[in-house]
Amino acid sequence: MAFDFLVPVEDKVLAHCEFLPAQAIGKNTYIHTAKDGLPVIANATVALFGVRESRNAFEKKLEKLDVSGIRIQLYKLMFGNWNSTVVDLGDLEEGDSVDDTYFVVKEITAALLEENIIPIIIGATQDITYPVYRAFDGIKDMINLVAIDSRFDFGMDDELISSHSYMSKIITDKPNNLFNFSNIGYQGYFNAQEEVDLMERLFFDAYRLGEIANDLSLAEPVLRNANIVSLDVRAIKASEIATSANFSPNGFTGREICAIARYAGISDKVSVFGLFEMENNVQSQQLLAQIIWYFIEGVNYRVAETPYSKTDDFTKYTVPTDTEELVFYKSLLTQRWWTEVPSIFSSHTKLDTPALLPCTEQDYLDACNQNIPERWFKAYKKSFN
């Protein structure tokens, strides 16, 4: 059983827990301890575990990831008005080889997915996204992956998998279950033009840092369609993390990244949330803990809704344009928007039923002005490739 490879939460974290108030997360989490073993996961909402594998880091790590430091900061935060059951499964140490670690990450993630439990993975390096993606094999056919990252992480063709090139492995590896990849927060000067061209050629979605920072709500429909959300903490500006040369002066602020994490939590499609590439200092650990808090907060406000299930809860808008007739839906409950995209037949739609693509009100307004939204056009083109 893959869970047997998880080591218990360190005693120093449990000792810290003893002094926390009853309302703290640490007092309301079922924790893997050396004394009591693994917690029962049957009715868990989210399951936290650390992955200390870093051998495929692009910039070699000088020290092991201090997951315990993140736990101490997370446990002291207050448990919200939540119905969630939170479990902490402990940590996965390095296997004999990196592939061994990948295999166990894949097996643990798949086991949690089978139980409809959302894994929150704290990983040393972002290449752990690859085995997380492979965990969906046999569970779900087509996967939407969203990376919150300053880079696209395609790497060079001949480069071995690393934290800067794992996306190439995901795109080329068989079976190919990747339906769409979206990047939130890329910074132009970190990405070769060939990578930008590849994103365009594959009809993937990319949103510049400035574009999202100017209007955070643009991230919501992207995350609403995601199955996996992979956060490279280096997308956050260095001053927010108080640390090293591997971070950029430009990036998301703490407030912005917490808002994005909440959007990810609210999405009822997001099945895995991974946080990678953090540093071992108190400010970084505090911010990571708050990002996780906002994700769990979002999970508690999930509303499972689709325009095809309860038509009374939606307003339908039909917009004729010069080339297409676009159909939009607005939820009367959450004010969220969708648009129909013909010719995409996905596993969750009935035969001959157009797929529903999450969108914004601005997309609807653009269509009213005879401008077909770019996200609609890309999804439409993808269906013919």
Side-chain angles (χ1 to χ4, degrees):
M1 180 79 177
F3 289 102
D4 295 339
F5 290 95
L6 290 161
V7 299
V9 171
E10 288 189 313
D11 288 341
K12 69 178 181 181
V13 180
L14 302 177
H16 181 269
C17 250
E18 291 295 317
F19 299 97
L20 295 175
Q23 302 91 337
I25 287 179
K27 291 287 193 182
N28 293 275
T29 297
Y30 298 91
I31 301 171
H32 180 189
T33 65
K35 177 184 174 186
D36 298 325
L38 281 161
V40 175
I41 66 166
N43 297 310
T45 311
V46 298
L48 182 83
F49 69 94
V51 181
R52 301 186 69 194
E53 175 66 69
S54 61
R55 283 171 287 186
N56 275 350
F58 186 77
E59 298 100 356
K60 295 306 173 191
K61 305 289 183 183
L62 300 178
E63 54 187 5
K64 289 290 180 189
L65 175 63
D66 181 13
V67 189
S68 293
I70 298 168
R71 281 193 175 94
I72 287 171
Q73 298 302 329
L74 176 63
Y75 283 4
K76 69 169 64 169
L77 300 179
M78 294 298 141
F79 205 83
N81 185 22
W82 302 338
N83 294 318
S84 291
T85 300
V86 180
V87 299
D88 189 336
L89 300 175
D91 295 330
L92 184 63
E93 300 289 353
E94 290 183 345
D96 290 339
S97 69
V98 178
D99 284 343
D100 290 339
T101 308
Y102 284 176
F103 176 78
V104 179
V105 170
K106 175 190 169 203
E107 292 297 305
I108 293 172
T109 304
L112 293 170
L113 291 171
E114 293 277 17
E115 296 285 338
N116 290 318
I117 298 167
I118 304 167
I120 299 176
I121 302 169
I122 302 172
T125 55
Q126 202 179 12
D127 55 290
I128 299 302
T129 305
Y130 169 71
V132 169
Y133 160 73
R134 286 271 73 106
F136 283 82
D137 291 353
I139 296 175
K140 185 168 175 57
D141 289 337
M142 300 309 288
I143 303 303
N144 291 330
L145 168 62
V146 173
I148 304 160
D149 201 336
S150 58
R151 295 172 168 86
F152 297 138
D153 291 331
F154 290 128
M156 299 297 111
D157 289 342
D158 57 350
E159 189 178 329
L160 295 173
I161 183 172
S162 78
S163 54
H164 272 186
S165 64
Y166 70 93
M167 275 307 304
S168 294
K169 178 85 168 163
I170 288 175
I171 290 171
T172 58
D173 207 42
K174 303 291 188 210
N176 192 331
N177 297 336
L178 184 68
F179 181 70
N180 193 38
F181 169 61
S182 302
N183 171 284
I184 294 175
Y186 84 95
Q187 298 174 38
Y189 36 72
F190 287 144
N191 297 280
Q193 187 58 45
E194 289 83 354
E195 292 182 282
V196 178
D197 294 343
L198 181 61
M199 290 288 286
E200 283 290 323
R201 202 159 59 244
L202 296 174
F203 304 109
F204 290 159
D205 302 308
Y207 299 83
R208 281 182 179 270
L209 168 66
E211 192 178 1
I212 297 294
N214 189 50
D215 182 4
L216 284 176
S217 68
L218 290 175
E220 188 277 326
V222 183
L223 292 162
R224 201 188 329 154
N225 219 25
N227 303 110
I228 304 169
V229 176
S230 174
L231 166 61
D232 185 333
V233 175
R234 292 170 300 185
I236 302 167
K237 65 195 300 187
S239 59
E240 307 288 284
I241 296 289
T243 191
S244 78
N246 294 333
F247 282 70
S248 168
N250 284 307
F252 289 115
T253 66
R255 184 186 67 81
E256 289 164 350
I257 202 66
C258 285
I260 291 169
R262 191 173 187 276
Y263 280 142
I266 288 173
S267 165
D268 61 330
K269 273 192 178 180
V270 171
S271 304
V272 184
F273 185 52
L275 307 96
F276 307 101
E277 307 287 349
M278 62 287 297
E279 298 283 317
N280 293 335
N281 66 64
V282 173
Q283 187 172 328
S284 172
Q285 292 159 351
Q286 286 176 332
L287 181 54
L288 259 292
Q290 290 169 19
I291 291 168
I292 294 169
W293 188 96
Y294 273 101
F295 177 77
I296 300 173
E297 166 94 342
V299 169
N300 278 271
Y301 287 99
R302 287 188 171 187
V303 177
E305 59 177 358
T306 169
Y308 290 154
S309 62
K310 282 190 174 181
T311 53
D312 291 348
D313 293 340
F314 295 85
T315 303
K316 180 179 179 180
Y317 300 88
T318 303
V319 182
T321 69
D322 292 339
T323 55
E324 303 285 344
E325 186 173 86
L326 303 189
V327 177
F328 291 86
Y329 295 90
K330 179 184 180 182
S331 167
L332 302 178
L333 181 62
T334 62
Q335 308 298 304
R336 297 189 292 189
W337 287 78
W338 288 261
T339 183
E340 286 186 355
V341 182
S343 303
I344 300 178
F345 303 112
S346 54
S347 58
H348 64 274
T349 61
K350 298 173 185 174
L351 191 63
D352 295 332
T353 302
L356 286 165
L357 181 70
C359 66
T360 64
E361 183 176 15
Q362 188 58 52
D363 290 326
Y364 164 69
L365 295 173
D366 287 345
C368 291
N369 290 321
Q370 299 297 299
N371 295 316
I372 293 179
E374 186 177 359
R375 76 175 81 236
W376 184 95
F377 186 72
K378 281 188 175 179
Y380 182 72
K381 294 283 283 186
K382 187 187 292 285
S383 67
F384 293 102
N385 283 271

